[in-house]
Amino acid sequence: DAAHAASQALRSGSCFAYHEHAEKLVLDQQLSLMGELDEGIRRGELEVLYQPKLDLRSDRITSAEALIRWNHPTRGYLRPDIFIPLAEEADRIDDLTLFVLRRAIEDLDTWCSAGHVMKVAVNVSAVLISSPAFAVRLEHILREEGVPRERVTLEITESAAIIDFEAARSALEAIRALGVSISMDDYGTGQSTLTYLKGLPLSELKIDRSFVQYAHRDQGDALLVSSTVELAHQMGLEVVAEGIEDADCLAFLRSIGCDFAQGYHIAKPMSAEDLLELVRISPPLSSRKAA
Ligand code: C2E
Ligand code: MG
Ligand code: MG
Ligand code: MG
């Protein structure tokens, strides 16, 4: 039946395309790639996939994270690790991010119109989110698309450290004032995460995969993850654990009261259409287990 099929699909990830990491590009390829960005966007080569976040209280998929890929005609399927840092360096990260943001908000609108209470998260580089111009352009998109703002989260990814902390803080306050939530991505790996935790207007922490992955069998990792969940809760933040690759890890996260879980064990990144189908036919994970 449909529920069984959904469960199988969730576990194997088989019905969703999965691609290997592309090889690292050499320098001249890196430079010319950025020159092809506009054309790539125009030709529809940039694709936004969504990885579900499982709400551990309701056992339902209630949100999804937008993850970009570039299906390049000659260089193959490019993962964001390859071209996001290039876009940051070439000063093209704003156009790229606004493209993803607009697409994600359109897809969110489709899911919501189909009757599902969903949220969407978009990754935004710390350098971009800290600029006052970004909040202005974000508000423009939100106004044009007209989706409920509390359903949009921005995940701050930190490939470069925030240099001007005060500027970052006030830019984030402006974003929060728009009604959008802010999540600290890859928490624990950054340069000054406790400083961020103390000073920035966050509503969510995403604990990095490197701490989560073995937390069910490594005492040190378990302690770091459980105390981070506790700390976050005391500060009024919700916690997402990323990179859950097996059932034991998921069980551990449940046992320590983590709010959301994300990872290949739950689902791989998939198209907006596949996500809608998954949300439509998926019963809660616990009832699927019993079936
Ligand atoms: P991230 O935001 O931390 O996203 C999580 C990454 O881990 C994704 O890789 C996802 O596919 C992968 N992942 C999810 N579950 C598992 C798991 O169980 N095991 C393992 N091994 N990996 C898992 P992806 O899609 O290649 O994205 C890499 C990074 O690129 C993202 O890390 C994010 O920092 C950045 N990124 C992706 N899309 C965008 C974007 O639109 N804008 C910006 N600025 N950055 C982006
Ligand atoms: Mg992220
Ligand atoms: Mg992350
Ligand atoms: Mg990560």
Side-chain angles (χ1 to χ4, degrees):
D1 64 330
H4 183 69
S7 150
Q8 290 294 101
L10 261 177
R11 294 199 181 291
S12 68
S14 59
C15 63
F16 313 114
Y18 179 61
H19 301 264
E20 293 296 308
H21 274 273
E23 274 181 51
K24 260 217 167 320
L25 304 174
V26 296
L27 192 66
D28 61 327
Q29 289 181 317
Q30 295 183 356
L31 291 173
S32 64
L33 187 62
M34 284 302 103
E36 297 169 52
L37 186 63
D38 286 332
E39 209 168 327
I41 290 178
R42 228 180 5 256
R43 291 209 218 105
E45 294 164 12
L46 282 105
E47 150 178 63
V48 180
L49 297 185
Y50 297 92
Q51 186 176 33
K53 291 185 189 176
L54 181 70
D55 183 331
L56 295 177
R57 284 157 304 197
S58 66
D59 238 344
R60 287 181 179 278
I61 291 162
T62 52
S63 65
E65 174 182 10
L67 293 163
I68 192 155
R69 274 102 184 82
W70 189 343
N71 205 350
H72 194 280
T74 57
R75 299 170 206 262
Y77 202 75
L78 304 178
R79 295 280 292 255
D81 291 334
I82 300 276
F83 62 90
I84 292 288
L86 297 182
E88 285 177 356
E89 257 172 76
D91 230 352
R92 298 305 311 278
I93 192 67
D94 47 351
D95 295 326
L96 196 55
T97 303
L98 291 164
F99 164 77
V100 178
L101 198 55
R102 193 177 287 276
R103 175 68 58 79
I105 289 174
E106 284 166 9
D107 288 333
L108 173 70
D109 193 37
T110 306
W111 303 329
C112 293
S113 303
H116 303 288
V117 181
M118 288 286 288
K119 295 175 80 175
V120 80
V122 174
N123 290 289
V124 185
S125 309
V127 281
L128 178 62
I129 216 169
S130 305
S131 88
F134 178 74
V136 175
R137 296 178 75 181
L138 172 65
E139 179 171 30
H140 184 76
I141 293 182
L142 290 168
R143 209 168 341 103
E144 265 182 10
E145 303 292 337
V147 293
R149 293 162 181 217
E150 66 278 7
R151 296 199 184 176
V152 178
T153 300
L154 302 183
E155 296 187 4
I156 308 180
T157 64
E158 193 202 34
S159 57
I162 293 177
I163 297 160
D164 187 343
F165 188 80
E166 255 324 294
R169 203 192 49 75
S170 69
L172 288 176
E173 295 286 359
I175 288 168
R176 271 300 282 272
L178 297 176
V180 168
S181 305
I182 298 163
S183 172
M184 183 86 229
D185 206 349
D186 305 329
Y187 183 75
T189 59
Q191 320 225 4
S192 45
T193 43
L194 281 177
T195 312
Y196 294 174
L197 203 53
K198 182 178 171 216
L200 300 180
L202 305 173
S203 29
E204 180 184 280
L205 280 194
K206 286 189 84 168
I207 307 179
D208 192 69
R209 182 168 83 218
S210 57
F211 302 105
V212 170
Q213 220 156 20
Y214 306 112
H216 54 296
R217 40 193 175 92
D218 180 297
Q219 268 190 19
D221 288 352
L223 185 61
L224 285 177
V225 170
S226 58
S227 55
T228 301
V229 169
E230 199 178 315
L231 172 67
H233 284 167
Q234 299 237 4
M235 296 183 76
L237 307 177
E238 293 195 303
V239 186
V240 184
E242 63 172 31
I244 283 95
E245 294 185 350
D246 57 69
D248 291 341
C249 184
L250 182 60
F252 170 75
L253 290 159
R254 274 186 208 288
S255 76
I256 61 163
C258 185
D259 305 294
F260 298 91
Q262 208 180 2
Y264 294 165
H265 175 67
I266 296 153
K268 287 185 172 167
M270 62 185 78
S271 71
E273 293 75 31
D274 285 344
L275 182 74
L276 180 57
E277 189 59 15
L278 186 63
V279 171
R280 201 175 63 75
I281 63 181
S282 289
L285 204 68
S286 50
S287 68
R288 266 188 271 136
K289 247 179 253 150

